[in-house]
Amino acid sequence: MSWMRKAFLSVFHYPVKLLVKAHSIPVNVDSELGIDKEKPIVYLLPTNSVTDQLALRMSTQALGLPSPTDTLTLAGREYPSTLFLRKTQPLFRSGVDNTGIEDVFTDLFHLHRDHENLDLQVVPVFITWGRTPGKGKPGLGDLITYKAAPSWLRKLFIVLFLGRDNFVNYSKAVSARTMANQHGSDQSIAQKLVRVASTHFHRKRQSMTGPTLLERQELNNSVLGSDAVRRAMAEESRAKKVSHEKAKERAQSYITEVAADYREGLIRFGDRILTRIWNKIYNGISVGHAERIRELAANGHEIIYVPCHRSHMDYLLLTYVIYHEGMVTPHIAAGINLNFWPVGKIFRRCGAFFLRRSFAGNKLYTAVFREYLELLFNKGYSVKYYPEGGRSRTGRLIPPKTGMLAMTIQAMLKGVNRPVSLVPVYIGYENVMEVKSYLNELKGSKKKKESNLQVFTAIKKLKNYGHGYVNFGEPIQLNQFLESHVPNWRECRDAEPEKKPAWLTPAVNELANDVMTRINRAAALNGMALISLCLLSSKTQTMSEAELKQAMGDFIDLFKQAPFSNDATIPEASADELLKDTLKLGRFDIQDDDYGRLISPQPKSAVYLTYYRNNILHLFAIPGLIMASVFAKKGISKNKVFELIASLYPLLQKELFLHLSQDEALAHTDALITTLVSNGLLREVDNELLPPDAHCKQYHSAWLLSRCMQETLQRYAVVLTILDKEKSISRGALERESKKVAERLSVLYGLSSPEFYDKNVLSSFISALKENHWLDSEKDGSLKYSEECEALREDVMALIWPEMMQHLENVALNSDKD
């Protein structure tokens, strides 16, 4: 390193330290990127910049990586620890000179050929200041926006104004040994490395800042000038008997109603505000599998995020996480109910675009919205929408609405230049701020309309909400999905553009189900959900601290040894730490007696715990059934367990969006039984599965596990019993009668689960019965009880509590009199 370079680094060290806050992406560089801290490292940066190098040094110090300002010694020769693709742009000249980096790499590869034990890691690092996308029309603000190789004067403004928004984005290490072993001369290999690095840095910039912003005039011209919207305007003019100008004016108003007005400056301001809010209300935000979205972006994919919807907080939390994972924040599909002043304007400038709850009967609005969505895809904007359509009131996934997915596929049929990937996202909380209003709505209260008063009330009530969880599920590459499900889908591109292909609806339904199962596959086990499940499974909803700690530990060990999926995340903390942290949230009643602490829900709040239990109930479906059968039968053979799972799994799969196929579920059952036995939650004697001995410390955990699926099984018993009594009944009557009986049983047994008699949940089970051919259909559409259904009912009735079974029989017999 030259003496001048060292002088610059020394002079600017303290100003940069004062002005710059370096955000490292990713934080776990060794595990995600395969960077070996013990091997020599040379950092490769796009531009020869002292401030970039100093920001990198701040980042490497925090990550425990070698310093980029030290001299690197290889085979007795000295090299700089940082190399640059380009020089800084001269102040009075537009061209950017190369740095001679190809000669350095040529020399390094030659050195590797002479020394077989040498293996240098080349780590590309993209450093950006702010995340401002390009504009169609440059303005004064562009003086401080990041350019590929800014002059020293522009860089001065950049550091002054954007120093707190510095992002140091690391990429996977490239082995110089592997490169040197390739065929060709050292110089040609070096040239290839430089070309690939230049392309890589361009994609990095695209993934962090996104495409050039859409100017309003370009947006209007693109949407209004499309064939679909022009046809819709002509039809609007004929059908409504209005002039063409009036129809065009109406289409323009729809664009204004729908379109986002993205402002990166507001995103940066929002990041500062949200960081303070998160630090106040969350103990931390855990992010899982973020490397998936970075890999998609690196490969040039159009990314569409499809998360579950638990809370209005989702809009902010997921966008915040995506921003801090080094990705451009997506345009977000939001319900028109959120477009009220001033919140709507703020959301719109953060990238929200608004859609109505129903498009029915308004062809012009439908055409405008579709064209806008297609324009976002074609311009390369990432997009986020919620497949459930609205927030879950029960804590479990609700059946998806398929409209946005259908429009996504139809956009592909028209031709999207880049590969398109859907990224399912699981979002979980240890406390959801709307949970009380959700339960009131389930009990019949009318949903309150969003307003400024609600916003201010929510802000005022902000408190410790524990931990937040965002897990990115396995992406679905739409091209591959369509190739496997509709091999001739590309032929539709040449057909009539507005004609809906016959295969679209079944393909979209299959895709929607795939999205939901991948969301649930990426579930996050957490302290609040585990405690809720344990307490609600307990007969008195009260447990000693020792029992609760034992059960939590047993369940965590179970999922570590027999994972629900590779995407689900399990707490790294011990059960003791997890319990202490969750109790600090102040959501439970804690009493001390002579034998220790007793933990229970706070008065009249057990019902709120069902929401958090339902977030993870699908993880416990198969182990819960296994244990329910063992305790109910007081001993059962493995084969009988497999038969029971084979019967009930298709119903649970439909209701809980389980990802395993029937064969995979049976294989997982076998693995679970082995683990349950080895962990002391089951005994195996003479090929029979038995509960653990009552004096065994795992007995209470096993008993809780046997009860966790009781409400689901009881709901099944309600529907099957009414079918048995009626023999033939219309679907509507079956849903109404089932709801009435379930409500009665809920009162009789004090069940703290409004979804026990929720019409949507009951309807989902009835649909599963039909799809799996447990029910026959009459000519008039009525549902007919069958022999197979009788066998299923016997299996279910054997698993529910005897007193519940007796009351169910009596209630069903007398239901007409109530």
Side-chain angles (χ1 to χ4, degrees), residues 55 585 757:
L585 300 179
Y757 49 83

Side-chain angles (χ1 to χ4, degrees), residues 33 43 166 319 365 493 523 530 548 683 698 767 771:
L33 302 179
Y43 302 100
N166 172 267
T319 300
Y365 177 85
R493 289 183 171 181
L530 272 174
L548 192 50
R683 286 185 298 144
Q698 285 87 9
S767 295
E771 289 173 15

Side-chain angles (χ1 to χ4, degrees), residues 296 301 412 419-421 474-487 489-490 511 514 518:
L296 289 174
H301 282 238
M412 286 188 64
V420 179
S421 287
E474 184 183 0
I476 303 171
Q477 294 190 18
L478 281 188
N479 290 61
Q480 293 180 6
F481 174 85
L482 290 175
E483 291 290 352
S484 62
H485 290 77
V486 192
W489 70 276
R490 295 179 190 276
L511 178 62
D514 198 5
R518 293 190 191 212

Side-chain angles (χ1 to χ4, degrees), residues 89-110:
Q89 181 179 325
L91 185 59
F92 300 109
R93 188 160 53 87
S94 59
V96 178
D97 297 327
N98 293 324
T99 59
I101 191 174
E102 291 180 4
D103 296 334
V104 179
F105 276 126
T106 300
D107 188 46
L108 284 170
F109 294 147
H110 185 72

